[in-house]
């Protein structure tokens, strides 16, 4: 009985490992198929001219001939833009101030 157990243990272990690998591969395939189905739905949307027009309007702000596009920012949008601009501003730009001062002095010198 011990000899049979010793001889079969590696084979059983290999069998169980392969079963778990197969289950993982099946799960990965199912996930890939779900992603593929979602991408095919998105691709199908791009065949509709109305969807293409809407995406052009939303993404790159295109308008049809004769239309006018207005871009309105609310209070939050302005605050966020000002905050981002303040974060991007570098303290390293002191030379710009001194350059502008020298330009103003040269312009007012007689």
């Amino acid at each position: 009985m011990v000899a049979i157990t010793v001889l079969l243990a590696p084979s059983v272990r290999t069998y169980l490992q392969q079963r778990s690998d197969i289950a993982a591969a099946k799960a990965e395939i199912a996930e890939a198929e779900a992603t593929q189905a979602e991408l095919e739905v998105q691709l199908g949307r791009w065949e509709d001219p109305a969807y293409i027009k809407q995406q052009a309007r939303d993404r790159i702000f295109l308008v049809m001939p004769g239309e006018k596009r207005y871009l309105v920012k609310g209070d939050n949008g302005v605050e966020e833009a000002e905050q981002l601009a303040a974060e991007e501003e570098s303290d390293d730009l002191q030379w710009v101030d001194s350059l502008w001062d020298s330009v103003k002095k040269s312009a007012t010198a007689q």
Side-chain angles (χ1 to χ4, degrees):
M1 187 65 142
V2 172
I4 293 174
T5 304
V6 170
L7 291 175
L8 289 179
S11 298
V12 171
R13 181 182 162 285
T14 303
Y15 173 76
L16 294 176
Q17 179 66 35
Q18 289 176 349
R19 296 294 292 174
S20 68
D21 290 346
I22 290 171
K26 285 182 180 180
E28 187 176 327
I29 289 170
E31 182 180 333
E33 287 175 346
T35 303
Q36 180 183 1
E38 180 181 323
L39 291 174
E40 286 176 355
V41 167
Q42 285 182 353
L43 186 60
R45 287 184 194 146
W46 284 100
E47 293 177 8
D48 181 16
Y51 182 77
I52 294 172
K53 286 180 184 178
Q54 185 61 40
Q55 291 300 311
R57 289 173 187 263
D58 293 342
R59 292 183 181 198
I60 55 177
F61 304 112
L62 289 181
V63 294
M64 296 299 289
E67 294 180 346
K68 291 184 180 179
R69 172 101 181 171
Y70 295 101
L71 183 61
V72 179
K73 287 191 173 186
D75 292 336
N76 294 336
V78 172
E79 291 171 2
E80 290 174 7
E82 290 173 354
Q83 182 181 8
L84 289 173
E87 290 174 0
E88 290 177 2
E89 185 177 310
S90 175
D91 296 334
D92 205 25
L93 296 177
Q94 295 174 358
W95 64 271
V96 173
D97 293 332
S98 62
L99 177 66
W100 183 247
D101 288 339
S102 65
V103 168
K104 287 194 302 188
K105 287 179 185 176
S106 66
T108 57
Q110 294 184 20

